[in-house]
Amino acid sequence: MRRLKAGVIGTGFIGVCHMEAIRRIGFAELVAITDINYELAKRRAEEYYVPKCYKTIDELLADDEIDVIHNCTPNNLHMEINEKIIKAGKHVFSEKPLARNSEESERLLQILKDNKNIVHGVNFNYRMNPLVQEIKNKVKANEIGKPILVHGSYLQDWLLFDTDYNWRIDPEICGPSRCIADIGTHWMDAVQTVTGAKIIDVCADLFTAIPKRKKPKEVVETFGVSKSMEYEEIEVKTEDYGAVLFKMDNGVRGVFYVSQVSAGRKCYLNFEIDGTKSSIYWNQETPDYMWMGYRDKDNSIVMRNPNFMTPEARQYTYLAAGHPEGWNDALKNNIYSFYKFIIDGKSLDKDTPDFATFQDGHYLIKLTEAILKSNEIRQWVKV
Ligand code: SOE
């Protein structure tokens, strides 16, 4: 069987997750990596036994052996690198956000029009949890009736203290939105996936709870803690919290809030879909369980069990019930569905993938911009 050869650009926190996911796919082979920090890339190459470690992105792009390139760089580099990958004729799997703004992501879509053979994906990984896929199928099969309301949140605490710092705080690198762009887009993607509908109208309130932070002199990894006593005080220009009311194109009303300053919450992405017959609730911190709520019988908590799942969702679950599957598995599923789409010879012109495409990534940037606008003008904004 043919194996797809992969290259990874950026070997920080998320780059390593991609590398490990590729390694778990039988028909994929990780052949090369690169990082702006060449020493780090070399260490990773040794640790993971990656045959080629390039000094520059251009060298990696010029490698004829490579079919797929993962863009795991910081946000401000996504656009240029995505463009280069497409122009090098490689399939591209990018971290979110695709670009700094929707003008840039729109330009990527234009470039893709002239490169129709390229398969493009964005890492909205939460949609690929087995139970999120199962909920999608249940909603589609009308099990909860017609969806009426959607609500939930995504809460973290890794930026609670004023001594917490990471490149995501800097709008030059992260972009004009942090909390909404970084984790709100995951929530919106998950909810759009399970309902099969789009958010089209938003009304938002954003808040910077910690307006000044102590930026350490050393570089701190995402979720890392700085031990440095040397710092400079900086003004924070992006939001720590956001609340959004919304309407979807199928009439569903919704509300969600996101925070990176909620003590004790780590990766607390949860949503509930309330339908005319019943409700379903799922939380990423307990990913193997979903709650089903009823008006006319007892509520129940259902444990992920491949034996009783829909065939569509079962393709994304591997372990027997009681053997937890979680965040890394969902990320693997996302990357697997991307590679499977390519190896099966499918085309984004004709086939609908389970993973998020650049089209979806572009729409999520437009949603983020509408949320920023709504917060600014204190009014509802159409996307
Ligand atoms: C930091 O908030 C972060 O790593 C996000 O950037 C990821 O997208 C999310 O999955 C986990 O948290």
Side-chain angles (χ1 to χ4, degrees), residues 13 96 126 154 156 158 168 182-183 186 222-223 260 267 327:
F13 160 72
K96 54 138 233 303
Y126 294 88
Y154 188 166
Q156 299 181 329
W158 68 289
R168 284 184 169 78
D182 188 39
I183 57 177
H186 277 307
T222 306
F223 297 116
Q260 292 178 316
C267 228
W327 193 89

Side-chain angles (χ1 to χ4, degrees), residues 139-170:
V139 172
K140 209 158 135 196
N142 204 33
E143 268 195 44
I144 66 162
K146 192 172 160 330
I148 321 170
L149 308 173
V150 181
H151 44 101
S153 62
Y154 188 166
L155 310 175
Q156 299 181 329
D157 70 359
W158 68 289
L159 293 173
L160 175 61
F161 301 140
D162 68 351
T163 45
D164 291 329
Y165 192 85
N166 168 265
W167 60 261
R168 284 184 169 78
I169 308 285
D170 182 352

